[in-house]
Amino acid sequence: MILLVAACGARGPLADLEPGERGRVVRVVDGDTIVLDTGQSVRLVGIEAPSGGFGDRDPQPFHTEAKRMMEDMVLGRQVQLHYGGLTRDRYDRALAHAETVDALGPRFWLNAEIVKRGGARVRVYPDTSAANAPLFDLERDARENSVGMWSTREYRIPLATDLPDTFEGFQLIYGNVADMQGSDGFGAVCDLSLEGSHLRLQIQVPAAGHCQSALGANVLARGFVRDGVMEISDKLNLQIMSAPPD
């Protein structure tokens, strides 16, 4: 708790963001989306919680647990929004960091706390990347201690060599960067191939520095996988590891 309270203080990661609206949380949609009493839906940035499903898609594993984590933290409480880039998505949801600001319970930086509790993975977009960097250490600690979703088989991080050819969706993977080629992907500057794997990492402009620096490196990559390609949209989504995973 001390860490997160300090993070919300004057010198914490949220201090340099643009203050946004305040409101009382009247509904929790899932582990990364809340609704205020003003009617404004808020998509918490920097994180990806298990989806509740839509259409003919089933809820993702650990959806119910992550939703309950968020409800326990914030339902009925006043929150302050903070913006670090794009403020609305195509569904008119606010794209924000949020912190509790009332006396009804502990002070939480919601985006960080849900990661700390193992209710969400980190997912960074370049247009909302401000203040996201501290989330990675919280995710690592939750993962190493098998907290929340990290205690389940479904959220074990696979080696790139073990990822099924037909996999589609947001994923974290371990791999070794074997080669670099030019890319014909929209907004991409290079493709990185992974040793022994069909998966290619398509490096977008905000992550362009990885085209050279990641060659030969053991990496932890995160992004959406489709047709054998994982898009690396921000430099934070590709982490160089000092050693391969155990």
Side-chain angles (χ1 to χ4, degrees), residues 3-36:
L3 183 151
L4 292 187
V5 169
C8 293
R11 290 176 290 178
L14 304 185
D16 294 330
L17 303 186
E18 185 70 24
E21 305 94 310
R22 286 194 179 203
R24 184 171 61 87
V25 177
V26 295
R27 182 186 171 208
V28 171
V29 178
D30 52 33
D32 57 32
T33 307
I34 58 178
V35 181
L36 306 183

Side-chain angles (χ1 to χ4, degrees), residues 49-213:
S51 168
F54 55 91
D56 58 355
R57 295 189 180 185
D58 294 330
Q60 293 178 329
F62 213 77
H63 164 259
T64 299
E65 294 89 338
K67 180 180 178 181
R68 286 175 179 166
M69 287 179 187
M70 186 59 71
E71 288 174 339
D72 289 345
M73 281 191 285
V74 79
L75 191 60
R77 299 193 60 185
Q78 293 283 332
V79 296
Q80 169 75 57
L81 303 187
H82 299 271
Y83 295 116
L86 187 67
T87 62
R88 294 291 187 273
D89 66 9
R90 58 180 175 171
Y91 306 110
D92 198 37
R93 296 181 300 183
L95 301 174
H97 292 272
E99 61 175 329
T100 53
V101 290
D102 57 29
L104 297 178
R107 191 172 184 182
F108 291 127
W109 171 13
L110 298 181
N111 312 54
E113 185 68 21
I114 193 70
V115 172
K116 180 182 177 183
R117 297 186 184 199
R121 295 173 286 182
V122 179
R123 185 177 186 180
V124 179
Y125 291 93
D127 50 9
T128 54
S129 63
N132 286 184
L135 303 178
F136 287 88
D137 286 345
L138 296 175
E139 183 195 81
R140 181 202 61 215
D141 292 346
R143 192 167 66 238
E144 290 179 352
N145 290 289
S146 299
V147 174
M149 62 169 43
W150 303 111
S151 67
T152 69
R153 178 180 56 82
E154 291 88 352
Y155 289 100
R156 291 181 60 186
I157 302 177
L159 298 173
T161 52
D162 296 332
L163 193 70
D165 292 357
T166 58
F167 179 85
E168 182 173 302
F170 177 70
Q171 183 63 46
L172 279 64
I173 60 100
Y174 291 119
N176 180 270
V177 179
D179 195 14
M180 179 188 70
Q181 306 88 29
S183 178
D184 58 3
F186 179 76
V189 291
C190 75
D191 287 348
L192 300 179
S193 59
L194 300 175
E195 185 175 340
S197 174
H198 72 285
L199 185 67
R200 291 182 294 116
L201 306 182
Q202 191 173 89
I203 308 298
Q204 303 289 300
V205 170
H210 287 307
C211 288
Q212 296 293 339
S213 64

